[in-house]
Amino acid sequence: MAEPVIFVFQGGGALGAFECGVYRELVPYLQARGHRIAALAGASIGAINAAYLSVRQQEADWGAQALETFWREQLSTPALPFLPPLSPYLARWNGLLTNLLSGNPQMFCPNWPGWLPASESVRFFQPLYRTEPMANLLDQHIGPIGPVPTEQPLLLVRTVDVERQATRSFINWRDTITPNHLRASASLPMLFPPVEIDGTYYWDGAFWPQTALREVLNALQQERPPGTAPESYWLIVVDTSDTLSQQIPVSALKSSYRLLGIMFGNRADYDEAAIAMGNRYIELVNDLTETAMAQPDQPWARRILAEAARIERENRCPIRCTRIRRTSLPHEHISRDLDYSPDRIDQLIAQGAEAARAILREVQHH
């Protein structure tokens, strides 16, 4: 039987269009080979992508075309001509300035009182932008999700609890995930307002050193009946940060962009190493179990058999990990994750599709 698939989407604002392209390209391959989606997880824009797909899993293409339409028709914003768009370089400045000065009509708008110098002393409650448009958009296109039966794909939305300085994940198998939870997961500190849910303030879930993978695996193991794990999972992590560029970042803009890549672009490295170590351990226990069953009364055999039973009881299984990474588009140090102009969204979707095709070529080759 084909492995159930776990998607983990990263944050990155407009860079979430890359995830849209990846998903669109992978779905036909997964469906043709009998895979199913076991979990969709994300933080920030990745959480919004995951939630949007979660409510469309019954569609023939698992929501792939709907997500692309959502990006092209709802999230993209024509750039205003602050500068004569005589070159791609100036076009990227227009994309950035449009979203900085006028916002994205569907996602955020300037909070002009927050731009006053006096607001610095109360920045937590007076951010630079308001996100009521995002709340309205998410309510219209996603709405509340859950609780749902564990037979349906798991949806995990990650946030950061501001006061506890810890992550908090909301899961559709046990929680009702509302547009406010998604808005909280995408609440960039200082830029966007924190979102209060049940008396607790939350910030963007992407502002944490690790990905949401550990929470996803814990939920898949703990929320399902014991002994119901598949033989293995296929984990697909979509990285939006550029970690592959080899160029020296000469300018201040390029250096700051590289710094963000260093801070946020390698978070899945630890997950990959931990998965490899866990896979080796499960393989070792499985190899020793057959020998132990031949001598069940031996103390060492009892230990091995007890460990094999624990692994099965806790729904632990091997995981095949695939990371799909993105490289910077031209002049990205200018527009970064704030350029929602239609041509940039088109480029990101196309880039995601090509990155997915490259991965599929590797998968089919091996």
Side-chain angles (χ1 to χ4, degrees), residues 2 89 113 195 199 274 305 350:
Y89 176 79
V195 177
L305 294 174

Side-chain angles (χ1 to χ4, degrees), residues 269-285 311 317-319:
D269 289 353
Y270 173 82
D271 293 334
E272 229 174 355
I275 286 171
M277 183 169 60
N279 287 346
R280 288 195 297 269
Y281 180 72
I282 292 173
E283 182 181 2
L284 175 63
V285 173
I311 289 173
C317 64
I319 298 169

Side-chain angles (χ1 to χ4, degrees), residues 59 88 107 117 123 129 131 140 159 169 182 239 253 274 305 347:
E59 296 177 5
M107 296 285 280
R123 179 61 65 208
Y129 301 92
T131 54
Q140 179 183 353
T159 65
S169 293
L182 299 176
D239 283 340
L253 273 174
L305 294 174
Q347 292 170 11

Side-chain angles (χ1 to χ4, degrees), residues 194-210:
V195 177
E196 183 181 5
I197 300 173
D198 297 329
T200 299
Y201 286 101
Y202 295 99
W203 267 341
D204 193 316
F207 278 80
W208 197 255
Q210 290 87 37

Side-chain angles (χ1 to χ4, degrees), residues 151-263:
E151 290 78 18
Q152 296 186 23
L154 178 145
L155 169 66
L156 184 144
V157 172
R158 182 200 240 183
T159 65
V160 170
D161 183 328
V162 178
E163 294 157 278
R164 290 180 58 242
Q165 303 178 57
T167 58
R168 169 73 188 277
S169 293
F170 298 93
I171 298 169
N172 66 335
W173 285 354
R174 63 174 184 236
D175 303 312
T176 298
I177 298 174
T178 69
N180 265 351
H181 292 86
L182 299 176
R183 191 162 62 104
S185 184
S187 178
L188 292 163
M190 264 64 83
L191 291 181
F192 295 165
V195 177
E196 183 181 5
I197 300 173
D198 297 329
T200 299
Y201 286 101
Y202 295 99
W203 267 341
D204 193 316
F207 278 80
W208 197 255
Q210 290 87 37
T211 71
L213 175 60
R214 184 175 63 178
E215 292 98 318
V216 175
L217 295 179
N218 286 342
L220 288 170
Q221 292 162 0
Q222 297 170 8
E223 300 293 330
R224 293 180 59 85
T228 60
E231 290 185 5
S232 63
Y233 285 111
W234 184 7
L235 168 68
I236 300 174
V237 179
V238 187
D239 283 340
T240 55
S241 295
D242 171 26
T243 60
L244 304 178
S245 175
Q246 301 296 316
Q247 297 180 345
I248 298 297
V250 177
S251 70
L253 273 174
K254 290 181 179 180
S255 294
S256 63
Y257 183 63
R258 179 63 55 83
L259 179 60
L260 290 174
I262 293 170
M263 292 172 61

Side-chain angles (χ1 to χ4, degrees), residues 19-329:
E19 299 170 342
C20 171
V22 167
Y23 185 83
R24 184 196 71 186
E25 198 67 26
L26 290 182
V27 164
Y29 176 89
L30 298 175
Q31 291 182 332
R33 286 154 182 80
H35 296 276
R36 64 177 179 84
I37 294 182
L40 296 156
S44 197
I45 196 65
I48 292 175
N49 280 340
Y52 190 92
L53 294 170
S54 175
V55 299
R56 288 163 177 79
Q57 285 299 292
Q58 302 305 315
E59 296 177 5
D61 64 352
W62 298 345
Q65 185 57 55
L67 181 64
E68 183 174 350
T69 301
F70 181 67
W71 271 94
R72 294 189 189 279
E73 297 184 2
Q74 300 297 326
L75 299 185
S76 67
T77 304
L80 299 174
F82 290 98
L83 300 170
L86 301 177
S87 67
Y89 176 79
L90 294 177
R92 299 286 62 84
W93 274 109
N94 283 337
L96 174 65
L97 292 172
T98 296
N99 285 277
L100 281 178
L101 300 178
S102 63
N104 180 316
Q106 300 287 350
M107 296 285 280
F108 55 90
C109 57
N111 174 40
W112 296 121
W115 293 52
L116 299 173
S119 295
E120 288 297 323
S121 62
V122 287
R123 179 61 65 208
F124 188 78
F125 294 107
Q126 282 293 348
L128 297 176
Y129 301 92
R130 301 187 350 251
T131 54
E132 287 87 352
M134 185 190 304
N136 294 333
L137 179 74
L138 299 177
D139 186 59
Q140 179 183 353
H141 290 273
I142 299 176
I145 305 171
V148 302
T150 55
E151 290 78 18
Q152 296 186 23
L154 178 145
L155 169 66
L156 184 144
V157 172
R158 182 200 240 183
T159 65
V160 170
D161 183 328
V162 178
E163 294 157 278
R164 290 180 58 242
Q165 303 178 57
T167 58
R168 169 73 188 277
S169 293
F170 298 93
I171 298 169
N172 66 335
W173 285 354
R174 63 174 184 236
D175 303 312
T176 298
I177 298 174
T178 69
N180 265 351
H181 292 86
L182 299 176
R183 191 162 62 104
S185 184
S187 178
L188 292 163
M190 264 64 83
L191 291 181
F192 295 165
V195 177
E196 183 181 5
I197 300 173
D198 297 329
T200 299
Y201 286 101
Y202 295 99
W203 267 341
D204 193 316
F207 278 80
W208 197 255
Q210 290 87 37
T211 71
L213 175 60
R214 184 175 63 178
E215 292 98 318
V216 175
L217 295 179
N218 286 342
L220 288 170
Q221 292 162 0
Q222 297 170 8
E223 300 293 330
R224 293 180 59 85
T228 60
E231 290 185 5
S232 63
Y233 285 111
W234 184 7
L235 168 68
I236 300 174
V237 179
V238 187
D239 283 340
T240 55
S241 295
D242 171 26
T243 60
L244 304 178
S245 175
Q246 301 296 316
Q247 297 180 345
I248 298 297
V250 177
S251 70
L253 273 174
K254 290 181 179 180
S255 294
S256 63
Y257 183 63
R258 179 63 55 83
L259 179 60
L260 290 174
I262 293 170
M263 292 172 61
F264 298 115
N266 297 298
R267 286 177 293 186
D269 289 353
Y270 173 82
D271 293 334
E272 229 174 355
I275 286 171
M277 183 169 60
N279 287 346
R280 288 195 297 269
Y281 180 72
I282 292 173
E283 182 181 2
L284 175 63
V285 173
N286 289 340
D287 288 345
L288 293 174
T289 296
E290 186 174 346
T291 303
M293 291 177 67
Q295 306 179 59
D297 294 331
Q298 296 294 323
W300 62 266
R302 289 197 295 268
R303 287 287 304 274
I304 292 170
L305 294 174
E307 189 62 12
R310 183 187 69 83
I311 289 173
E312 180 179 6
R313 184 174 61 254
E314 295 181 357
N315 289 328
R316 301 183 184 277
C317 64
I319 298 169
R320 175 163 62 117
C321 182
T322 298
R323 288 175 69 179
I324 300 181
R325 304 189 184 193
R326 197 185 65 83
T327 56
S328 289
L329 293 169

